[in-house]
Each structure stands twice: as C-alpha cells, then as structure tokens.
Amino acid sequence: MYSFQPDCWSEHEELKVVMLCAPTNLDVTDLTIAENVGWSATVNHEKAMENFMEFKTALENAGVKVIDYSKELPNDMKTVSEQLINRFFVRDLACVIGNSLFLGEAGSSLRRPEYPHAHALLEKWFPEKLNKQPSTALECGDVMILNKDAVLINIGMRTTLEAVKSMKDRIFQKGFSEIGIIDLPRRADTLHLDMNCNVANANLVIAKNFMRYFPVQVFTAQTSRFEMTEQFLNHHGFDVYWLEKYNTIPDINFINLNPETLLISKQSTKQQWTKHPLLKKKKLIKVDVSELEKGGGGIRCMTLPLLRK
C-alpha cells in the first residue's frame, strides 16, 4: 500500500513518515471523569481537534508524510475506536528499531483496544517488517533509540523486563551493541521514559535531574553490567542537560524533525531552550497542543515515527 518501508536508527535524523491518530469527538466534561481516566483536566473535543490539525499541519509543512490511522480502520473497528479517548497517543502502540517494526502490548486495560486496531493496519502495510508483540506489557513510549549503537528502555508502570528480554536478541540482530534498561519511578508524571528524558541532538539528551541517581543495566549480546545513567549516555556520545525545574509534558515531550529542528509545545519553558549552547542553535517550531496535553502526554507521545533518513 505504501512505497516506503519502516526504517529508524535514531531519534534525531530527518523525519520522513509518521503515524498519527485524530482525537475522538468525545468531551471529558468534568474533573471527576478526568481523574478517573487519568487526565489532568476537562477536555473539549473541538479544541482538541484544532490542536491536532495544527500539529499535523506543522509536520506536513516540514515535509513529513502523515498517516492518520483512524481514517484507515474498517467500520467495525471505527465504532469502538471513535470512543477511545487516548487513541491519539500512538507512540505506545509500536516502534521502529532499525528496519524492524516491533509491536507493543498495552500495560493498561483502558488502552488495550487501540493495540489490535493499529496492529491490524501495520500488519497489512508492512508484513515483512513485523515483529509480533510480546506476551507481557511493552508500551513504546518507554523505548528510545539513542543511535545505531544503543537503545535505552524503561521498565516500570507500563513495560516489563520480560517483554524487553523477549525482544533484545532481535535488537542485537539489527546491529545494536547495547541495550540499557532503567527502572524509573511509577507515577503519572514519570509514566514512560519520554516523560523523563529525550534526545535533543546527535550528542545531547535532556533529562530530569533525578535520573542521575538511577543505575542502568547494560546488556550486550553476551554480557550485562551496571552503569549510572550519565555514564551510559556519555559512553554512547551524549552529554546530558540536567533539568532542575521543568514542566514535564511540554518541556520533555518534543520530537526532532531533523538534526537542526525540533517540534515543541507552545507551553514549554522558554528558558530551557536558551541556556544550553547546542539548543541555542536549534530551529524551534512551536505548536499549541495544550488541550491534547491534558490527556497526560505530549508531542512525542502523539507521534509514531515510521521512517527517518
């Protein structure tokens, strides 16, 4: 159906194709409902759709092909999908590591129906690239490709060590030499790895400062060892810009459009982008996704990269 094949070897090279999903037409009408579904505030679906269209347009204006999977679903799946309020957080459903597409497995019953919906389409589009989902939870917001040498994965609220172990051999087969596993606090503001750190440049990671105290278990194809977070990142060519103050979703949850350009939230802290010399050189494209961010995720959470060059 599509002329490209999934291929991603980093978080910072030029983004060519992404999968998104439009938000539903349901409102979250009061704070009690918001609390019960894990959202921070009430959400108006018209404002959410305006945010989504601004976000989608920014990607397209940057030369990125956008696939909205909600438009590709068969009618029987659409009936349920249109009522799934978290469906626009597509990052968790799957991830491309190298030239393979790894399917996720929901760590939350509220999210579970989205996975077979998206997986059925991905299996139809890219049958030869597919790796079936693990038997235990793996949400791909916990997966970060540092470069062609290393992948960093968080185990915690939504991803299990068993799931990572079930896929690690296939990652090594792609040529990656190390997989780092970190176990971060299990809270709403630290839910996935990309709520705590993000790759901002070929040699720079932005991270919450508490992560410096966490060890990383480093697996190779034959061995394992422990390093601290900064040591592991330095070992793979990254400096770390430690944030002492941050607004979790808009400050951490951005995406690289290419090596020179970041797509960030209009709600992000301005000073963050002026204090580090590498970030001063970046072109920043800002979009208003504030209504969508109330769902507990941001720009990276809403973007599933399928092809980077």
Side-chain angles (χ1 to χ4, degrees):
M1 180 178 178
Y2 291 107
S3 60
F4 72 94
Q5 290 296 312
D7 199 80
C8 291
W9 297 88
S10 78
E11 302 285 342
H12 65 272
E13 292 168 308
E14 184 180 2
L15 188 61
K16 301 300 291 184
V17 185
V18 299
M19 190 173 83
L20 306 182
C21 186
T24 72
N25 59 4
L26 297 179
D27 293 324
V28 176
T29 54
D30 63 60
L31 288 174
T32 301
I33 294 174
E35 181 180 350
N36 284 325
V37 298
W39 287 22
S40 64
T42 60
V43 171
N44 176 275
H45 78 271
E46 291 183 355
K47 290 180 181 177
M49 183 57 77
E50 288 174 5
N51 279 189
F52 176 78
M53 292 308 299
E54 181 177 338
F55 170 51
K56 178 175 180 284
T57 300
L59 287 166
E60 291 173 335
N61 288 344
V64 180
K65 177 179 176 58
V66 174
I67 301 170
D68 180 352
Y69 91 76
S70 69
K71 298 182 181 299
E72 307 288 342
L73 291 170
N75 289 332
D76 59 332
M77 289 184 179
K78 279 184 180 178
T79 302
V80 175
S81 178
E82 288 170 355
Q83 300 176 73
L84 299 175
I85 58 171
N86 291 301
R87 71 175 189 170
F88 57 94
F89 294 131
V90 297
R91 172 70 67 156
D92 301 324
L93 307 179
C95 58
V96 179
I97 303 177
N99 58 6
S100 285
L101 183 59
F102 290 81
L103 300 180
E105 182 68 29
S108 161
S109 59
L110 192 63
R111 303 284 316 271
R112 197 163 292 145
E114 303 163 40
Y115 286 69
H117 291 174
H119 293 175
L121 294 173
L122 292 169
E123 186 170 2
K124 182 173 102 174
W125 298 337
F126 312 113
E128 296 179 359
K129 298 294 184 179
L130 218 61
N131 287 274
K132 291 185 178 180
Q133 66 263 44
S135 58
T136 57
L138 170 71
E139 294 196 353
C140 296
D142 279 322
V143 179
M144 198 163 287
I145 308 170
L146 298 178
N147 50 37
K148 290 185 176 182
D149 192 47
V151 178
L152 180 62
I153 304 176
N154 175 52
I155 56 173
M157 284 183 70
R158 298 290 181 86
T159 295
T160 65
L161 178 60
E162 292 75 18
V164 177
K165 286 184 175 180
S166 75
M167 65 191 289
K168 69 182 181 67
D169 287 345
R170 285 169 287 167
I171 295 175
F172 290 136
Q173 288 167 9
K174 297 300 166 187
F176 294 91
S177 65
E178 293 191 342
I179 300 170
I181 297 178
I182 193 167
D183 187 352
L184 295 174
R186 292 159 165 79
R187 301 191 309 267
D189 65 327
T190 55
L191 184 65
H192 291 125
L193 181 61
D194 61 12
M195 304 287 281
N196 300 279
C197 68
N198 207 343
V199 175
N201 202 63
N203 58 354
L204 183 68
V205 167
I206 294 178
K208 295 178 179 178
N209 63 346
F210 77 83
M211 285 184 64
R212 69 169 71 235
Y213 299 98
F214 279 71
V216 173
Q217 186 171 11
V218 184
F219 286 92
T220 69
Q222 292 82 29
T223 65
S224 73
R225 67 183 189 277
F226 284 94
E227 294 181 345
M228 301 307 290
T229 298
E230 187 166 29
Q231 181 185 6
F232 175 70
L233 292 170
N234 289 167
H235 178 70
H236 290 286
F238 289 89
D239 289 330
V240 186
Y241 176 27
W242 297 109
L243 297 182
E244 295 183 8
K245 296 181 180 180
Y246 43 79
N247 188 354
T248 291
I249 294 172
D251 287 351
I252 305 289
N253 213 258
F254 55 84
I255 193 166
N256 293 261
L257 294 177
N258 55 54
E260 294 80 36
T261 311
L262 300 175
L263 184 63
I264 68 171
S265 169
K266 280 187 176 177
Q267 306 299 313
S268 64
T269 304
K270 183 178 179 181
Q271 291 80 2
Q272 172 178 310
W273 308 104
T274 59
K275 288 186 177 180
H276 195 282
L278 284 176
L279 295 179
K280 288 180 181 179
K281 300 175 183 178
K282 291 285 185 181
K283 178 182 179 183
L284 304 177
I285 298 176
K286 300 179 182 180
V287 289
D288 183 4
V289 287
S290 54
E291 199 73 10
L292 296 169
E293 287 173 331
K294 295 175 184 177
I299 286 172
R300 190 179 190 272
C301 298
M302 295 185 284
T303 313
L304 172 52
L306 294 175
L307 178 63
R308 286 188 183 272
K309 283 190 175 180

